[in-house]
Amino acid sequence: MSKVQSVSLDNTDPANGVVPTVVVDVCWDVSDVDIVDTTGKSVVTPARQDRGWTRYTVANYQWNDDPEGGWRVASGEDLEEEPCAP
């Protein structure tokens, strides 16, 4: 699940980082994911959080040349929110 938090198509000063951006909160669920070592033993700690939210900022620094395809993840941070439903 994802939630768009904001959209700005301001491209007034690309040299100083004022470019079109979209902020999206993404729910992730790794409850069915296991990571194993070379012997097949799980290395996932019991304290691992299985679900959560990450906020990504996606920016287009190539807006003038590639307004549709120039979008890249510029940053991401985990949010301190209740996990999304399974």
Side-chain angles (χ1 to χ4, degrees), residues 3-53:
K3 296 179 185 177
V4 175
Q5 297 297 325
S6 66
V7 175
S8 171
L9 299 180
D10 184 354
N11 194 45
T12 57
D13 196 0
N16 288 308
V18 181
V19 298
T21 58
V22 177
V23 177
V24 180
D25 291 352
V26 176
C27 168
W28 47 266
D29 181 341
V30 294
S31 57
D32 289 332
V33 175
D34 193 10
I35 301 170
V36 296
D37 63 16
T38 56
T39 67
K41 180 181 174 190
S42 178
V43 296
V44 174
T45 65
R48 176 185 76 178
Q49 188 174 5
D50 287 334
R51 292 186 307 277
W53 289 93

Side-chain angles (χ1 to χ4, degrees), residues 46-65:
R48 176 185 76 178
Q49 188 174 5
D50 287 334
R51 292 186 307 277
W53 289 93
T54 300
R55 177 166 290 163
Y56 292 103
T57 299
V58 183
N60 188 333
Y61 290 89
Q62 305 300 319
W63 181 260
N64 291 334
D65 298 323

